[in-house]
């Protein structure tokens, strides 16, 4: 995908190599171009999705 670092790969080749969809490749590239590398690699997680913060009580049995 980087024309300055051959071999240049297409979106389809990148998606196939990494086991993800072409729209995912497109959105990551768009984010990289518009917001830069730091924004691209930063994970956005909901505070409610963290399994480590779940509490166990008598309802799990």
């Amino acid at each position: 995908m980087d024309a300055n670092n051959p071999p240049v790969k297409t979106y389809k080749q990148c998606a196939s190599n990494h086991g993800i969809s072409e729209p995912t490749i497109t959105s990551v590239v768009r984010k990289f171009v518009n917001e830069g590398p730091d924004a691209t690699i930063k994970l956005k997680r909901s505070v409610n999705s963290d399994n480590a913060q779940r509490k166990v009580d008598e309802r799990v049995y």
Side-chain angles (χ1 to χ4, degrees):
M1 300 196 57
D2 184 358
N4 295 323
N5 295 310
V8 177
K9 295 186 179 187
T10 64
Y11 283 30
K12 183 177 262 185
Q13 290 170 326
C14 287
S16 176
N17 289 346
H18 297 289
I20 55 178
S21 67
E22 287 183 60
T24 300
I25 294 288
T26 303
S27 66
V28 169
V29 170
R30 183 179 299 120
K31 187 172 187 88
F32 182 84
V33 169
N34 293 333
E35 300 177 32
D38 291 334
T40 306
I41 61 173
K42 183 177 180 184
L43 294 176
K44 292 183 181 176
R45 293 184 62 193
S46 169
V47 294
N48 297 325
S49 70
D50 191 6
N51 288 333
Q53 293 184 6
R54 292 187 183 176
K55 294 183 180 180
V56 176
D57 61 15
E58 69 276 354
R59 293 178 288 179
V60 296
Y61 295 107

